[in-house]
Structures are given as C-alpha cells and as structure tokens.
C-alpha cells in the first residue's frame, strides 16, 4: 500500500508540474494557477479578476492585467498532496485551515489581512475559526453558507397549513410535522410526502442545551451524555417511527439528476419534501425551474441556545508560490464589490464580504425573485449572530464527529444510544491520543492543554467563574458567556 501511495503522489506531482508549466507558457505575463472546482461560475470569476486588475490600475506595460489566472481542477485531497510535495498551485481553494495550516503549506496573511480589511473582525464574526489557526489567518472566504431549513410554502398551503415559524422547539417541530404528514398523505396507499428531507439534527439540538463534541480545551470528546443521548433518540423517532423524514431505505429510492443540492432541490420543488437543509445557494438550482417555488427559511428545531452550522469555501496562498504579491491581489479581489456582487446575483451562497449584503435590497429582497421570501435576510442575520463552526480539535485530524455513526449503530439495532455514543467517544479519544503522541511539539502542547483542562474542571466543580482565554472551544465560550460563567 505504501508503494502504491508513493506512486500516486509522484504521478499527481508530475501532472501538477506539467499543468502549471503548460499554463504559464501560454502567457506573456505571470499566471496564477487557482486550484478549485471547475464550473461556469469559476470561469466567470477568473474573467472578473482580469477586469478588476485593469480597473484598479494593476496593469502591465501593454495596458492589460499585470498577471493572468488559470483554473486547475482539484479537490481538497489532491490539493493537499500537491502542496506537501512542493508542487502546489498558487491559489488553493476549498481549504480546511485546521488541516493545511499546521503542515506549513500556506502563507500567513494575518498582517496583510488586518491592513486591508480582510481580517475576521471585518467578516462574519463567528467565521473567525474558519479563517484562522492558532490565532493566525491563512485564508479568505470565496463564499459561505449558514444552513437552515428551506421551506416550500406552496406545499404547506396545499394541505391548508401555514409555513413553519422562523424559530421552533423540538416539540413544535414534531407536532407540526405529524399534522403535515397526516394531511399530505391522507388517502394514499403509502407515504409519498415527507415533512423534511433526511437531516442530521443531533449536533444542533445537543448544542442548544449547552453540550458540544469536545471539551473546553479540545483535548477530549464527551459524547455519552444526556444531551447527545436525547438528540440521537429524537433523530431516530422522527425518522424511523414518526416518518417525518425518510428512512435510509426510502431515500435509496429517490434518484434524479445531479445538482448543487443533489436530488433534494428537485424533490423539494415537486412537493415530496416540504423542507430541506441548505442555504441561499439552493436557488442556483431552483431559479432554473419553470415554476417558482415560494420559500421561507427556518432554523433547525432547538431548545434555548440558538445555533446554526456555518461553513466557508475559502482560498489561501500556497507558501511556495513565485507570485505572492499577485496572489494577494486575488484575495483583495475576493473582498471587493465586483466579486461579491457576482456571488449575490448568482445566489452562490453568502458573499465573503458582508458589507456588500447589509442594507442591500439586491441581496436582501432580490426584485426579480420575490418568491424567495426571507431566505436571504435570515441567512445573513444568523451567519452574523448564531453561526458556529463544526466541532474541530487540533488533536483530532479526522474531522468526523461520529454522531451519524452512533445514530446508525443504534438505528440498526447494534447498540443502545448510550453504547453507540460511548463507542464513538472512545474512537475519537483514541485518535486524539495517537495524534498527540505523533511528535514532540504536538505532545508538549497537548499536555499543557490537558493541564489547563484539569484547572477548568476544578473551577467548575468549585463554582468559580472561568477566565475567557482558557476556553479554546469557541462554542462553549459563547455558551458560558450567556450563562454568566466567564470572568
């Protein structure tokens, strides 16, 4: 297997070199290579960048742009392999900062970002962890998404019901869902319409009660606890017993063409799903359909502490680029009006610079699409206030919180929720221990954080308030602040 892996790495590196050299040989000016997902929007953005350079005075002697940009098809794994092998593209898209930054393959842009208004404080506040690692910034977003439930208002009206509220509790979700599925499937030999596409809600429900996957210092997972046990049971009840969401077997029968939301947007538009989990980017599909779908946007059902999943597609500068100054111009372009307007008009997620969405009617209420309701305004509002990064620990490189694993193990009758969550917790903590032992530097930092965790546990047991800087887990920091537990 090692030989096979080495062969694959060498092949990818050679292919990358050939691609980069061939691209740069086609131009009489420096060419930035952007490793990204290839789609029509990327070509449009590359052309916008060329025009932006000229409009802002970044020109060559011939009056054209001072540099060119070319797209290179890649995914996160291939980009990482090329970067660590010394053959990375100048600009790397879809970066998971917690994976790339510790490997030393990205330019640290902290000072540049602060001087030019690209720093997290000028972005969506909760997005800071998506842009930084160990307090240093390495990327700038291309777009973001704050996931909620997109509601088909027409589907609810067909059964004589109003669209769900913007905020609701699990009890309200269940009550409304049971009534909707009863009405929507009355007289049918089998269930054809579901309240919601299958959506894992366990993390947000547990977080709304103050629980998170990792502890305060991100040194261990704690999943076998009441909040997660109850959330797994609710997910199971709503899917397997109440059929508010389709089971795995029912989902297997739903096949359609590929789209930005796979099958979900088509099944949503047809009325099979009354809601599905997405962001405003769903309208990249829905706007192409002949019959507009009237929409509203709701949070996932939660208890007291509101939280939403916030994600970013970000681009960073490869540390080995020959053109760092030109690459920084590209980051400035991502934060400027032309690029943000393209994201706004194309409904391609949240724009990277929220200043261009705030108080902008073209974003908040697109005049050409009155059917899209409160979607845009709500996603922007929630991204800036209750959006949170997925649980991430610097000591757990896999990134999978194992909640779906625990749910499936319980649903398939292989364990109780408590047993399944205990197994998931053990898996994560074993991986953390292995990673912490992988190098002296990591082990030293891990041991220091474990010592800090012991102090935190002592303070909590004694009822003392916690110093804010001790809490490395940004979700728990927000939760403790609301509970008055911080100094």
């Amino acid at each position: 297997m090692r030989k096979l892996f080495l062969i694959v790495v060498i092949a990818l590196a050679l292919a990358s070199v050939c691609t980069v050299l061939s691209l740069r040989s086609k131009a009489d000016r420096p060419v930035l290579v952007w490793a990204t997902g290839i789609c029509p929007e990327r070509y449009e953005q590359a052309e916008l960048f060329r025009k932006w350079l000229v409009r802002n005075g970044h020109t060559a002697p011939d009056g054209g742009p001072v540099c060119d940009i070319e797209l290179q098809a890649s995914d996160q794994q291939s980009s990482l392999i090329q970067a660590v092998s010394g053959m990375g593209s100048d600009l790397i898209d879809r970066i998971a900062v917690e994976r790339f930054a510790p490997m030393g393959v990205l330019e640290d842009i902290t000072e540049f970002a602060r001087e030019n208004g690209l720093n997290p404080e000028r972005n969506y506040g909760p997005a800071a962890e998506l842009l930084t690692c160990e307090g240093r910034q390495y990327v700038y977003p291309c777009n973001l998404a704050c996931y909620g439930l997109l509601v088909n208002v027409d589907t609810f009206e067909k059964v004589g019901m109003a669209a769900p509220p913007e905020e609701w509790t699990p009890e309200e979700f269940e009550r409304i869902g049971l009534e909707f599925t009863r009405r929507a499937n009355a007289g049918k030999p089998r269930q054809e319409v579901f309240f919601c596409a299958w959506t894992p809600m366990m993390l947000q429900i547990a977080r709304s009660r103050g629980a998170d996957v990792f502890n305060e210092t991100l040194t261990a997972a704690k999943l076998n606890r009441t909040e997660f046990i109850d959330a797994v049971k609710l997910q199971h009840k709503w899917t397997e017993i109440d059929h508010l969401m389709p089971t795995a077997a029912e989902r297997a029968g739903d096949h359609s063409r590929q789209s930005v939301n796979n099958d979900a947007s088509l099944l949503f538009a047809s009325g099979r799903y009354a809601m599905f989990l997405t962001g405003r980017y769903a309208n990249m599909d829905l706007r192409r359909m002949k019959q507009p779908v009237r929409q509203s946007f709701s949070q996932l059902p939660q208890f007291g502490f509101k939280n939403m999943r916030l994600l970013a597609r970000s681009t960073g500068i490869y540390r080995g680029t020959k053109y760092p100054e030109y690459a920084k111009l590209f980051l400035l372009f991502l934060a400027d009006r032309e690029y943000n307007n393209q994201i706004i008009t194309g409904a391609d997620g949240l724009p990277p610079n929220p200043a261009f969405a705030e108080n902008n009617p073209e974003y908040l209420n697109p005049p050409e699409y009155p059917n899209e309701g409160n979607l845009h305004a709500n996603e922007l509002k929630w991204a800036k206030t209750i959006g949170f990064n997925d649980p991430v620990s610097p000591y757990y490189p896999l990134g999978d919180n194992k909640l779906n694993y625990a749910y499936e193990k319980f649903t398939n009758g292989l364990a109780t929720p408590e047993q399944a969550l205990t197994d998931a917790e053990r898996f994560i903590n074993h991986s953390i221990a292995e990673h912490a032992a992988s190098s002296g530097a990591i082990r030293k930092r891990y041991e220091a954080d474990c010592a800090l965790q012991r102090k935190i546990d002592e303070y909590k047991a004694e009822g003392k308030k916690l110093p804010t800087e001790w809490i490395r887990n940004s979700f728990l920091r927000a939760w403790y602040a609301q509970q008055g537990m911080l100094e």
Side-chain angles (χ1 to χ4, degrees):
M1 286 298 294
R2 288 183 178 178
K3 289 183 178 179
L4 178 59
F5 179 75
L6 286 173
I7 291 170
V8 171
V9 170
I10 293 168
L12 284 170
L14 290 173
S16 178
V17 172
C18 293
T19 301
V20 171
L21 291 176
S22 65
L23 288 173
R24 289 179 177 161
S25 67
K26 293 177 182 177
D28 57 358
R29 68 196 78 229
V31 177
L32 292 173
V33 178
W34 185 19
T36 183
I38 302 298
C39 61
E41 289 78 14
R42 298 295 173 273
Y43 288 105
E44 183 180 342
Q45 289 157 10
E47 184 58 28
L48 276 177
F49 177 56
R50 298 181 187 104
K51 294 177 179 177
W52 178 88
L53 287 170
V54 173
R55 190 156 36 246
N56 286 275
H58 305 294
T59 56
D62 64 1
V66 70
C67 65
D68 202 355
I69 187 167
E70 297 288 352
L71 308 183
Q72 182 184 63
S74 71
D75 56 26
Q76 189 177 107
Q77 192 62 32
S78 64
S79 292
L80 185 58
I81 291 172
Q82 291 170 11
V84 297
S85 64
M87 301 297 175
S89 300
D90 304 288
L91 298 160
I92 306 175
D93 194 357
R94 296 184 291 188
I95 286 178
V97 175
E98 70 277 0
R99 292 186 66 197
F100 280 68
M103 295 183 178
V105 298
L106 298 177
E107 280 281 328
D108 184 330
I109 63 168
T110 306
E111 282 71 32
F112 169 79
R114 187 180 301 120
E115 291 167 3
N116 291 277
L118 309 185
N119 50 319
E121 292 78 10
R122 296 286 294 274
N123 205 268
Y124 301 84
E129 284 196 340
L130 300 170
L131 311 180
T132 61
C133 181
E134 297 295 319
R136 306 297 293 177
Q137 185 172 350
Y138 293 92
V139 300
Y140 190 77
C142 299
N143 56 3
L144 303 93
C146 190
Y147 284 99
L149 292 171
L150 187 61
V151 176
N152 188 326
V153 176
D154 297 318
T155 298
F156 278 90
E157 284 201 356
K158 284 180 183 177
V159 298
M161 294 178 67
E166 293 182 17
E167 298 181 12
W168 45 356
T169 64
E171 293 82 1
E172 291 169 324
F173 177 87
E174 184 173 310
R175 175 179 55 79
I176 295 171
L178 286 171
E179 179 62 17
F180 172 83
T181 53
R182 183 188 69 79
R183 295 190 189 190
N185 294 285
K188 297 176 181 177
R190 63 180 181 83
Q191 183 168 348
E192 297 177 5
V193 179
F194 293 91
F195 186 50
C196 183
W198 195 81
T199 302
M201 302 182 180
M202 297 167 285
L203 177 63
Q204 280 70 37
I205 290 174
R207 277 182 161 182
S208 71
R209 297 172 66 189
D212 201 23
V213 172
F214 297 106
N215 62 10
E216 291 86 351
T217 57
L218 307 172
T219 52
K222 182 59 177 174
L223 293 177
N224 184 18
R225 51 189 295 175
T226 300
E227 297 88 349
F228 282 111
I229 293 167
D230 292 347
V232 168
K233 289 179 179 178
L234 264 182
Q235 185 82 43
H236 175 82
K237 182 178 187 295
W238 291 343
T239 306
E240 304 293 332
I241 299 173
D242 296 338
H243 285 274
L244 304 185
M245 295 179 269
T247 64
E250 289 162 335
R251 297 197 302 275
D254 288 331
H255 295 293
S256 187
R257 66 171 178 83
Q258 291 295 307
S259 65
V260 294
N261 297 286
N262 297 319
D263 298 331
S265 57
L266 297 169
L267 298 169
F268 168 82
S270 68
R272 180 169 169 81
Y273 296 156
M275 302 180 293
F276 76 112
L277 188 71
T278 186
R280 68 186 295 266
Y281 68 86
N283 281 296
M284 295 176 73
D285 274 347
L286 296 172
R287 287 178 181 179
R288 300 188 187 108
M289 298 180 183
K290 292 182 179 179
Q291 184 64 39
V293 177
R294 286 194 297 152
Q295 305 163 16
S296 66
F297 203 45
S298 296
Q299 297 174 12
L300 291 177
Q302 299 175 49
F303 295 103
F305 189 75
K306 304 304 179 186
N307 66 98
M308 306 275 278
R309 187 184 182 205
L310 182 66
L311 296 179
R313 179 177 68 84
S314 300
T315 286
I317 300 172
Y318 175 49
R319 194 171 181 180
T321 179
K322 293 181 180 179
Y323 309 111
E325 294 309 310
Y326 297 143
K328 288 177 180 177
L329 289 177
F330 185 77
L331 300 187
L332 292 176
F333 162 69
L334 293 179
D336 212 342
R337 183 175 301 277
E338 290 90 334
Y339 179 83
N340 281 266
N341 282 348
Q342 197 256 6
I343 296 296
I344 288 171
T345 57
D348 192 3
L350 290 162
N353 187 340
F356 293 107
E358 295 162 349
N359 303 314
N360 179 359
E362 294 289 333
Y363 171 84
L364 297 170
N365 298 288
E368 295 180 42
Y369 304 101
N371 59 294
E372 292 170 1
N374 61 13
L375 166 60
H376 310 284
N378 278 359
E379 186 170 7
L380 178 67
K381 174 177 65 178
W382 295 333
K384 295 177 63 180
T385 54
I386 57 173
F388 289 94
N389 188 17
D390 285 343
V392 173
S393 165
Y395 306 113
Y396 181 56
L398 300 182
D400 177 9
N401 61 38
K402 309 303 286 184
L403 288 176
N404 285 349
Y405 160 86
Y407 169 79
E408 290 172 5
K409 197 166 186 178
F410 167 52
T411 296
N412 291 322
L414 301 176
T416 65
E418 294 84 353
Q419 292 167 337
L421 287 164
T422 297
D423 289 346
E425 181 182 304
R426 285 174 179 164
F427 178 91
I428 293 174
N429 289 334
H430 178 73
S431 298
I432 287 175
E434 283 193 331
H435 185 67
S438 63
S439 79
I442 296 174
R443 183 168 59 252
K444 183 178 180 180
R445 190 176 68 196
Y446 173 73
E447 289 172 352
D449 280 344
C450 286
L452 177 61
Q453 184 64 48
R454 289 190 289 272
K455 291 177 69 175
I456 291 171
D457 293 340
E458 289 172 8
Y459 270 51
K460 288 168 66 179
E462 296 170 7
K464 294 182 179 179
K465 292 195 174 186
L466 300 164
T468 302
E469 64 272 15
W470 285 7
I471 313 302
R472 308 285 169 77
N473 183 322
S474 61
F475 171 79
L476 290 180
R477 193 161 57 241
W479 165 258
Y480 289 159
Q482 190 202 59
Q483 299 301 307
M485 294 173 62
L486 300 181
E487 289 181 349

